[in-house]
Amino acid sequence: MRPDPPTVGVEEEFLLLDPPTWRNVPAADELRVALPESLRERDHAQFRSSKVEMVTPVCATLAELSDRLAENRTAAAAAARRCGARLVAVGATPVAEPDLTEVDTPRFHAIVEQYGPIAQDPALCGCHVHVGVPSRELALEVCNHLRPWLPVIQAMGVNSPWYAGTDSRHASWRGIALERWPNLGPWPLLDSPEDYEQAVDELVGTGVMLDATMGLWWARPSTRYPTVEIRVGDVSPTADDAVLVAGLVRALVGTAVGDIAAGRPALRMPEQLLRAAHWNASHQGLGGTLTDLWERCARPAWELVDRLHETVAPALERHGDAALVAAGLDRLRTLGTGADRQRRAGDLPRALANLADQTAG
């Protein structure tokens, strides 16, 4: 008998945009009221009123996850239209956000007081994948093992090429913009729960973080759930793209658990090279080279995607996800990343109109 696959859930962040101008619309409160009552608990309040987060329940299979993602997107897109906006799965504010006022809570006010203009950047949207892990100690070890693969996941998910109405020359402006936060970036290599608690206490104690929840590393043990949370990717253009990312992330976690049980250590690399690999992933997407952190050199992006797929293939088979993920990778190879698809539309208004239609499914 084989163990059940780990559970999986996804949090998706979206922007509310005005179709004529494609500027952000602060209508999140109105959207929440317009949602079907049964789905309102899946809408989690965000820092900015032009931003919506929809979360799935805990799912056992990718098919179930796909259904819940589609359900969330369809309902939220319809509610947005009733509020005079479009729900758009894009990683960064593409044109402008006239109202930069944070949502009125003591915590959000404290974030603005602490971080100033960094916190008042236009809104950014990610795709956060949660994978069930039975203990905090194992979750920490899993995060260590995921480090060299997360730039590849990041490059696959790039979906924010626009900034201030023009092409930013980066595939993920979200990834570039988040570099300024002191508490975001690669997971710090930590060897025990005690190391983790000490690192968090020191960051809070020195004023870098307001509290433990602001350790917003690309991979981290969730502060709320018994999961590893991967938050490196832009929000995906379609539900199918999000399912592909979730399937690969779940397989990476399953592979890491097997490596840990077999006594295989996590790869260690210079921190500056790991940070550079993430920057390069945001810049290039899959359109050029990525950083091979094993050989410490540049490789064609798709070589590393194929290596990732090969590495997690046994876990995909165990989870029953092999066929779905293979089809998703074929689709990604044919259509390109979200950034590729937006640029191919020809101009910004057409790109965002297409993306709003894709978001709604």
Side-chain angles (χ1 to χ4, degrees):
M1 295 180 66
R2 63 186 184 185
D4 291 333
T7 57
V8 62
V10 171
E11 301 165 345
E12 292 192 294
E13 298 169 337
F14 305 98
L15 291 182
L16 296 171
L17 301 183
D18 169 54
T21 65
W22 295 107
R23 294 186 173 196
N24 293 29
V25 180
D29 288 344
E30 296 173 56
L31 180 140
R32 188 170 298 113
V33 173
L35 281 171
E37 188 172 356
S38 61
L39 295 184
R40 287 177 192 164
E41 66 179 8
R42 298 190 196 174
D43 175 16
H44 289 188
Q46 292 294 291
F47 184 76
R48 199 65 52 66
S49 293
S50 62
K51 187 173 168 181
V52 175
E53 182 182 64
M54 298 294 293
V55 306
T56 71
V58 177
C59 298
T61 68
L62 291 190
E64 181 186 2
L65 179 68
S66 178
D67 288 345
R68 299 292 80 78
L69 286 168
E71 186 176 55
N72 285 354
R73 284 171 172 245
T74 299
R81 282 184 178 275
R82 287 195 286 275
C83 300
R86 297 296 304 274
L87 187 82
V88 184
V90 63
T93 296
V95 177
E97 186 167 16
D99 182 358
L100 292 171
T101 306
E102 70 274 13
V103 170
D104 186 15
T105 71
R107 175 176 171 75
F108 291 159
H109 295 324
I111 290 173
V112 171
E113 180 66 24
Q114 175 80 351
Y115 297 105
I118 298 175
Q120 293 173 319
D121 277 347
L124 308 170
C125 296
C127 173
H128 305 160
V129 180
H130 287 260
V131 179
V133 175
S135 73
R136 173 57 62 94
E137 184 174 11
L138 182 58
L140 293 168
E141 291 188 79
V142 166
C143 289
N144 288 343
H145 280 255
L146 296 183
R147 285 171 19 119
W149 289 116
L150 292 189
V152 183
I153 295 293
Q154 185 174 21
M156 294 172 66
V158 292
N159 188 38
S160 52
W162 311 106
Y163 173 68
T166 61
D167 193 321
S168 69
R169 303 296 186 265
H170 299 284
S172 170
W173 181 250
R174 169 182 171 272
I176 299 299
L178 288 174
E179 295 267 341
R180 294 192 297 168
W181 287 83
N183 49 328
L184 275 92
W187 166 254
L189 196 65
L190 299 170
D191 294 323
S192 69
E194 292 74 24
D195 286 347
Y196 173 74
E197 297 299 334
Q198 180 179 350
V200 170
D201 288 346
E202 289 172 349
L203 288 170
V204 174
T206 56
V208 174
M209 292 175 6
L210 290 179
D211 54 45
T213 66
M214 293 197 71
L216 303 173
W217 296 290
W218 296 140
R220 64 173 186 169
S222 172
T223 57
R224 292 184 292 174
Y225 310 116
T227 65
V228 167
E229 180 184 5
I230 309 304
R231 48 191 304 113
V232 71
D234 291 355
V235 63
S236 297
T238 70
D240 285 343
D241 294 313
V243 169
L244 170 62
V245 171
L248 286 170
V249 166
R250 178 161 75 161
L252 274 172
V253 172
T255 300
V257 169
D259 287 341
I260 292 162
R264 288 186 283 271
L267 180 70
R268 292 178 181 260
M269 75 234 32
E271 291 300 308
Q272 71 273 14
L273 188 62
L274 179 57
R275 286 190 170 275
H278 280 290
W279 187 94
N280 197 34
S282 292
H283 178 62
Q284 298 268 23
L286 298 180
T289 61
L290 295 176
T291 307
D292 181 335
L293 289 164
W294 290 264
E295 301 297 329
R296 302 186 184 181
C297 65
R299 296 258 183 233
W302 273 99
E303 281 190 17
L304 288 174
V305 174
D306 290 339
R307 187 190 299 178
L308 166 62
H309 189 202
E310 180 181 356
T311 299
V312 301
L316 290 171
E317 289 289 349
R318 290 196 304 272
H319 300 165
D321 297 341
L324 192 152
V325 166
L329 287 170
D330 287 344
R331 184 178 63 252
L332 181 64
R333 197 184 298 266
T334 299
L335 298 179
T337 63
D340 295 331
R341 297 173 215 173
Q342 290 185 55
R343 285 168 169 157
R344 204 162 53 233
D347 61 44
L348 178 56
R350 187 177 296 112
L352 295 175
N354 291 345
L355 190 54
D357 291 340
Q358 293 174 47
T359 302

